[in-house]
C-alpha cells in the first residue's frame, strides 16, 4: 500500500473522529486511492470557461420572513443528550494546555 | 521609529438584529432559558432543512454597503467542518470562497487625521451555541455545559486587511466600527453579551519590510480595552522572542483578563483543515440590483458623515461633536432642539452640561424632557424672564413633571423680580442683617456688593434681578454713606 494514502487515511479519520483498525485502515487506503484516482482522471478534462457547479438545481435560494415560530419543548431538545445537567447538555472538558 | 513594526488584522463577528434565527423560526432573543429556542433545524437533527431569513440577508447586505464592500450578485454557503460541542451539526454553515461581499473600508477620525482601514471581506454565517465552563476557566474546567439557544443566530463576519499598527489603533477601529453598525441598525453590538466579538492576528516585521512575519491569533478578548491590552502584550512578547534571536510560533492564544497575559492554546483540532464544501441544503444566494438600490437608499447617515455635518451646520467644538456622535440619542436631541433655538453654542452647553447632569441626578431618560421644553427654558432665560439658577431648577422640575416650563413659571411664581417695590424690603432686610458687609463696602471694598446681592438672591429663591439689585444697593448705600458723612461733620 502507498504510504501517502495510509497517512491520508490517518489524517482524515482523525478529523472525522473515526477509530479505524489496521485492516480497516488498509481497506480505506485502497478505496481512497481509487476514488482519488477517478477524481484525478476527471481533472484531466479541460474545464476552462465552464462555471463550477455547486448545485444541480439552477435556482436562487428562497427567503422567508423574519418571524418567530415555536421551538421544541426543552424535554424534546434534551431527549438525545448523552449527559444532561439541568436544562443543559453536559460535555467533557474541551481544551488542554501545556 | 522602533526596530519592528506591528501588523494587526482583525476578525469581527456581530450578531444581526433579527427576531428569528438565520435558518429557522426559533427566537434569536438573548437571555432566554437554556435550550428553549431550539428546533430540529438549529439542532441539526436528520431530515431538517434550512431556509434563509430575509431580514438577516438584508441586514448583512446593509452592513456590507455601509462598509463600502462590494456585494456579490451571487454568493455561496459552505460547510465548515469541525468537532466542537457548541456546534450541534459538527459543521458551521459559513461562506468560504464566494463571500457575500468583497473588499471595502472603514474611514474614521484619529484625533485630527482621517484614517482608512481596508477590509478583506464581509460574509454571513451561523452562530454557534454557548459553552459554560465548570471551573475557573476553559483551561481547568472539569466539564462544560452547552446551551444551543444561540446556535443558528445570524452572524456577520468582517475581516480587515492587516492594516492596523497598534493595540490602540485596533481599539479605535473597533469603536468606530461599532458606531457604524449601531447607526445602521445592524446589531446591538454588546460585547458583554457577546453580540460583538473580536479575534486578532498579530505579527511583527522589521520596520520598512513588506513581508509579513509569523502571526499569532489572539482570542477571548471581552472588551475593547482587552483588545488593546492583549495586542500590546502580544507585541512585546513577540519582540522579546525576535530580539533573542528566536522564532514566533504560529499559534492561537487566549487572553487572560486576570493575569493580563496571552496563553497559547494547544490540543486544537488539526488547525485549519476545515474541509469546506458547498452546503448542499442551500442554493446560491442571489442579490439583485434592485435590492441593493433599495438598501442603499435606506442607508442612514454614517457617524463620520454626521461628524462633518454637525461641525459644519452648527459650528460646534470637537468635543461636543464627538459626544453627540458617540451618544447618538443626545445628538438627535440637540438637533431637534436646534430647529427652534439658534444659539447652538449655548444649546450644546446646556445639553452636555446641565441636561446630562440632571438626567443622572434623577435617573431620568432623555425622552422625559421634550426638546421644545428645553428651548422654552433657554428662551425664558435669554429674555430675562427668569434667572440662571431658576432655569436649572426649572430644568429639573420639567424633567420630573414632564410639564411645560412656561406653565411651571406661572404656577410656581418663578419669574424674575425686577420691580423695585418688591426688591426694596429684601434689600433693606439684608442691609440691616449684614452690618459688616455694609461697613466693608463703605470702606471702599467693592466686592462686598456681590455678597449682599447674593444674600438677596438666596432670600428670593434665585428670582431677584441681580443687575437691578446691584444698582439698588449702590444707590441706597451711597445715600446712607452721605447721611453718615453729613452727620459726623
Ligand atoms: Zn431552530
Amino acid at each position: 500500500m502507498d504510504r501517502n494514502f495510509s497517512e491520508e487515511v490517518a489524517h482524515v479519520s482523525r478529523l472525522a473522529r473515526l477509530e479505524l483498525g489496521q485492516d480497516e485502515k488498509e481497506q480505506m487506503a485502497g478505496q481512497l486511492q481509487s476514488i482519488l484516482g477517478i477524481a484525478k482522471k476527471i481533472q484531466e478534462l479541460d474545464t476552462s470557461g465552464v462555471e463550477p457547479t455547486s448545485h444541480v438545481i439552477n435556482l436562487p435560494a428562497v427567503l422567508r420572513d423574519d418571524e418567530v415560530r415555536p421551538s421544541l419543548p426543552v424535554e424534546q431538545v434534551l431527549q438525545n443528550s448523552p449527559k444532561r445537567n439541568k436544562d443543559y447538555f453536559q460535555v467533557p472538558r474541551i481544551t488542554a494546555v501545556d | 521609529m522602533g526596530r519592528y513594526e506591528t501588523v494587526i488584522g482583525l476578525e469581527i463577528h456581530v450578531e444581526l438584529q433579527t427576531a428569528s434565527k438565520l435558518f429557522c423560526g426559533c427566537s434569536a432573543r438573548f437571555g432566554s432559558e437554556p435550550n428553549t429556542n431550539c428546533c430540529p433545524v438549529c439542532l441539526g437533527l436528520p431530515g431538517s432543512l434550512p431556509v434563509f431569513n430575509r431580514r438577516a440577508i438584508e441586514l448583512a447586505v446593509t452592513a456590507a454597503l455601509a462598509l463600502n464592500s462590494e456585494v456579490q450578485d451571487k454568493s455561496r454557503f459552505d460547510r465548515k467542518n469541525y468537532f466542537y460541542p457548541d456546534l450541534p451539526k459538527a459543521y458551521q454553515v459559513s461562506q468560504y470562497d464566494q463571500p457575500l461581499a468583497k473588499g471595502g473600508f472603514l474611514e474614521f477620525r484619529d484625533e485630527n487625521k482621517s484614517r482608512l482601514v481596508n477590509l478583506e471581506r464581509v460574509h454571513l454565517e451561523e452562530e454557534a451555541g454557548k459553552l459554560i465552563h465548570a471551573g475557573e476557566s476553559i483551561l481547568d474546567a472539569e466539564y462544560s455545559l452547552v446551551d444551543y439557544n444561540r446556535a443558528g443566530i445570524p452572524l456577520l463576519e468582517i475581516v480587515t486587511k492587516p492594516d492596523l499598527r497598534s493595540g490602540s489603533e485596533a481599539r479605535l477601529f473597533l469603536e468606530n466600527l461599532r458606531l457604524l453598525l449601531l447607526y445602521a441598525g445592524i446589531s446591538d453590538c454588546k460585547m458583554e453579551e457577546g453580540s460583538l466579538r473580536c479575534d486578532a492576528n498579530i505579527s511583527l516585521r522589521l520596520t520598512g519590510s513588506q513581508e509579513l512575519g509569523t502571526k499569532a491569533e489572539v482570542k477571548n478578548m471581552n472588551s475593547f480595552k482587552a483588545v488593546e491590552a492583549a495586542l500590546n502584550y502580544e507585541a512585546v512578547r513577540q519582540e522579546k522572542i525576535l530580539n533573542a534571536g528566536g522564532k514566533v510560533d504560529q499559534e492561537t492564544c487566549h487572553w487572560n483578563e486576570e493575569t493580563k497575559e496571552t496563553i497559547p492554546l494547544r490540543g486544537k483540532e488539526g488547525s485549519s483543515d476545515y474541509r469546506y464544501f458547498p452546503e448542499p441544503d442551500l442554493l446560491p444566494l442571489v442579490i439583485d440590483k434592485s435590492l441593493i438600490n433599495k438598501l442603499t437608499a435606506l442607508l442612514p447617515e454614517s457617524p463620520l458623515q454626521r461628524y462633518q455635518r454637525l461641525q459644519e451646520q452648527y459650528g460646534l467644538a470637537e468635543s461636543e461633536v464627538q459626544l453627540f456622535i458617540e451618544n447618538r440619542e443626545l445628538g438627535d436631541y440637540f438637533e431637534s432642539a436646534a430647529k427652534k433655538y439658534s444659539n447652538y453654542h449655548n444649546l450644546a452647553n446646556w445639553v452636555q452640561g446641565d441636561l446630562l447632569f440632571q438626567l443622572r441626578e434623577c435617573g431620568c431618560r432623555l425622552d422625559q424632557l421634550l426638546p421644545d421644553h428645553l428651548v422654552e427654558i433657554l428662551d425664558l432665560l435669554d429674555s430675562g424672564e427668569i434667572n440662571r439658577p431658576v432655569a436649572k431648577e426649572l430644568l429639573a422640575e420639567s424633567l420630573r413633571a414632564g410639564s411645560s416650563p412656561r406653565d411651571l413659571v406661572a404656577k410656581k411664581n418663578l419669574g424674575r423680580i425686577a420691580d423695585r417695590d418688591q426688591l426694596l424690603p429684601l434689600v433693606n432686610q439684608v442691609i440691616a442683617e449684614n452690618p459688616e458687609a455694609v461697613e466693608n463696602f463703605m470702606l471702599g471694598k467693592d466686592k462686598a456688593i456681590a455678597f449682599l446681592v447674593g444674600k438677596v438672591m438666596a432670600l428670593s429663591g434665585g428670582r431677584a434681578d441681580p443687575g437691578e439689585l446691584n444698582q439698588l444697593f449702590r444707590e441706597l448705600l451711597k445715600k446712607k454713606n452721605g447721611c453718615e458723612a453729613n452727620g459726623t461733620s
Side-chain angles (χ1 to χ4, degrees):
Chain A
M1 185 51 50
D2 194 319
R3 223 184 91 76
N4 282 336
F5 288 101
S6 301
E7 274 171 19
E8 197 63 30
V9 166
H11 178 60
V12 173
S13 61
R14 201 181 69 77
L15 288 176
R17 301 288 188 277
L18 290 174
E19 203 178 340
L20 301 177
Q22 194 50 44
D23 52 335
E24 285 171 314
K25 277 184 189 160
E26 277 166 26
Q27 188 193 1
M28 295 290 165
Q31 289 179 355
L32 191 65
Q33 185 171 24
S34 89
I35 291 168
L36 291 178
I38 293 168
K40 207 171 178 185
K41 184 88 189 150
I42 294 172
Q43 279 177 331
E44 285 170 12
L45 284 171
D46 179 13
T47 55
S48 51
V50 180
E51 207 192 324
T53 308
S54 56
H55 291 83
V56 286
I57 317 169
N58 195 18
L59 285 174
V62 182
L63 312 181
R64 72 179 161 85
D65 289 338
D66 182 25
E67 282 163 6
V68 175
R69 297 182 172 253
S71 299
L72 289 177
V74 70
E75 287 309 314
Q76 277 187 40
V77 170
L78 290 159
Q79 188 178 304
N80 296 332
S81 166
K83 189 160 175 137
R84 178 177 173 168
N85 187 329
K86 297 195 186 100
D87 284 344
Y88 293 97
F89 294 81
Q90 182 175 320
V91 298
R93 63 174 288 169
I94 298 150
T95 312
V97 185
D98 52 21
Chain B
M1 199 175 276
R3 182 160 176 223
Y4 296 106
E5 180 181 48
T6 310
V7 179
I8 297 166
L10 301 177
E11 248 180 49
I12 301 99
H13 288 97
V14 282
E15 288 179 359
L16 301 179
Q17 263 180 118
T18 54
S20 65
K21 293 186 179 180
L22 181 53
F23 298 124
C24 61
C26 289
S27 169
R29 201 170 74 87
F30 177 82
S32 301
E33 290 300 309
N35 294 305
T36 51
N37 300 334
C38 304
C39 74
V41 174
C42 55
L43 288 173
L45 300 186
S48 61
L49 282 174
V51 185
F52 282 114
N53 178 342
R54 177 177 291 110
R55 180 83 190 126
I57 305 294
E58 289 179 354
L59 284 173
V61 171
T62 301
L65 293 171
L67 288 164
N68 313 290
S69 189
E70 201 183 323
V71 177
Q72 307 294 299
D73 27 294
K74 196 172 172 187
S75 74
R76 200 184 64 203
F77 285 78
D78 301 274
R79 291 188 180 181
K80 180 180 182 180
N81 300 280
Y82 63 96
F83 286 98
Y84 208 70
D86 62 4
L87 215 51
K89 298 188 291 243
Y91 62 82
Q92 178 194 28
V93 177
S94 181
Q95 298 194 284
Y96 184 51
D97 56 349
Q98 293 179 38
L100 181 79
K102 292 179 186 169
F105 60 87
L106 175 67
E107 196 184 356
F108 56 91
R109 296 170 53 86
D110 183 358
E111 281 163 6
N112 287 319
K113 297 184 298 286
S114 170
R115 181 79 172 87
L116 196 139
V117 171
N118 292 292
L119 304 180
E120 186 70 44
R121 59 190 273 157
V122 176
H123 81 241
L124 187 57
E125 58 188 31
E126 60 177 343
E127 177 73 287
K130 194 170 168 49
L131 291 169
I132 298 150
H133 305 294
E136 292 290 294
S137 72
I138 184 173
L139 308 174
D140 57 15
E142 257 179 70
Y143 59 87
S144 297
L145 300 176
V146 198
D147 174 6
Y148 289 121
N149 281 345
R150 212 178 64 175
I153 285 178
L155 195 64
L156 194 74
E157 180 173 317
I158 299 161
V159 185
T160 75
K161 297 226 187 231
D163 275 6
L164 296 155
R165 293 290 171 267
S166 70
S168 63
E169 202 177 55
R171 175 179 175 172
L172 195 62
F173 169 82
L174 287 170
E175 284 167 352
N176 281 282
L177 177 66
R178 178 177 164 272
L179 273 186
L180 183 84
L181 296 172
L182 280 177
Y183 272 46
I186 305 299
S187 169
D188 59 11
C189 295
K190 291 183 181 162
M191 266 195 125
E192 66 281 9
E193 289 181 7
S195 63
L196 186 155
R197 304 193 292 277
C198 174
D199 297 334
N201 285 311
I202 172 168
S203 62
L204 299 190
R205 66 179 170 200
L206 283 172
T207 303
S209 159
Q210 290 306 307
E211 231 171 287
L212 290 174
T214 309
K215 67 187 177 186
E217 191 182 6
V218 188
K219 291 175 175 279
N220 195 42
M221 300 170 289
N222 296 321
S223 65
F224 291 160
K225 228 175 113 188
V227 171
E228 182 174 0
L231 292 173
N232 286 342
Y233 175 91
E234 184 59 22
V236 171
R237 185 186 75 91
Q238 292 187 14
E239 189 175 357
K240 279 184 194 155
I241 294 174
L242 295 176
N243 278 340
K247 259 180 62 192
V248 174
D249 287 330
Q250 178 151 0
E251 62 190 359
T252 302
C253 319
H254 245 227
W255 171 245
N256 186 327
E257 190 62 46
E258 304 297 311
T259 60
K260 307 282 178 212
E261 57 187 6
T262 53
I263 304 159
L265 274 185
R266 294 273 158 80
K268 214 199 160 205
E269 171 88 27
S271 72
S272 61
D273 202 345
Y274 293 122
R275 294 149 294 142
Y276 282 96
F277 65 87
E279 163 61 90
D281 291 343
L282 289 167
L283 290 162
L285 182 66
V286 174
I287 309 288
D288 54 37
K289 270 278 164 303
S290 65
L291 180 65
I292 292 185
N293 291 341
K294 183 186 121 189
L295 295 175
T296 306
L298 289 174
L299 265 188
E301 186 178 40
S302 76
L304 188 65
Q305 287 167 335
R306 186 176 166 101
Y307 191 102
Q308 285 156 347
R309 189 175 56 77
L310 289 185
Q311 229 172 16
E312 279 164 27
Q313 196 170 335
Y314 305 106
L316 299 180
E318 226 175 271
S319 63
E320 291 167 336
V321 180
Q322 196 56 38
L323 174 70
F324 291 155
I325 295 299
E326 281 164 22
N327 189 337
R328 190 188 187 191
E329 200 194 4
L330 201 65
D332 287 345
Y333 190 95
F334 168 82
E335 288 211 80
S336 175
K339 284 186 190 135
K340 299 202 174 144
Y341 188 81
S342 59
N343 186 343
Y344 303 138
H345 180 65
N346 190 40
L347 177 61
N349 260 332
W350 274 81
V351 170
Q352 66 167 354
D354 291 292
L355 179 59
L356 272 190
F357 174 76
Q358 285 301 338
L359 286 174
R360 273 195 291 267
E361 279 291 287
C362 71
C364 301
R365 295 184 322 272
L366 194 54
D367 62 7
Q368 288 175 262
L369 182 76
L370 291 174
D372 280 7
H373 285 171
L374 177 62
V375 171
E376 241 178 76
I377 294 171
L378 298 187
D379 282 341
L380 285 166
L381 184 59
D382 290 351
S383 64
E385 286 167 79
I386 57 170
N387 283 330
R388 202 177 155 84
V390 172
K392 292 185 180 208
E393 196 187 311
L394 206 49
L395 179 67
E397 194 74 25
S398 303
L399 194 55
R400 285 188 185 88
S403 36
S404 147
R406 226 171 246 291
D407 291 351
L408 281 172
V409 169
K411 206 169 87 188
K412 300 210 160 184
N413 204 14
L414 296 171
R416 173 182 271 186
I417 308 168
D419 182 30
R420 291 201 156 200
D421 291 342
Q422 275 179 275
L423 293 177
L424 212 49
L426 299 175
V427 169
N428 283 327
Q429 185 188 337
V430 167
I431 289 178
E433 286 172 1
N434 297 279
E436 201 177 329
V438 171
E439 176 85 28
N440 281 339
F441 177 74
M442 304 286 203
L443 291 172
K445 286 184 184 159
D446 206 59
K447 270 193 214 154
I449 280 278
F451 174 80
L452 294 167
V453 168
K455 285 283 172 199
V456 179
M457 289 306 286
L459 276 178
S460 69
R463 293 169 56 209
D465 182 332
E468 196 61 39
L469 279 181
N470 201 299
Q471 227 176 348
L472 205 50
F473 269 116
R474 282 179 201 281
E475 283 171 24
L476 285 177
L477 293 180
K478 200 179 272 177
K479 221 185 275 173
K480 198 169 175 212
N481 208 4
C483 290
E484 278 171 16
N486 285 342
T488 49
S489 70

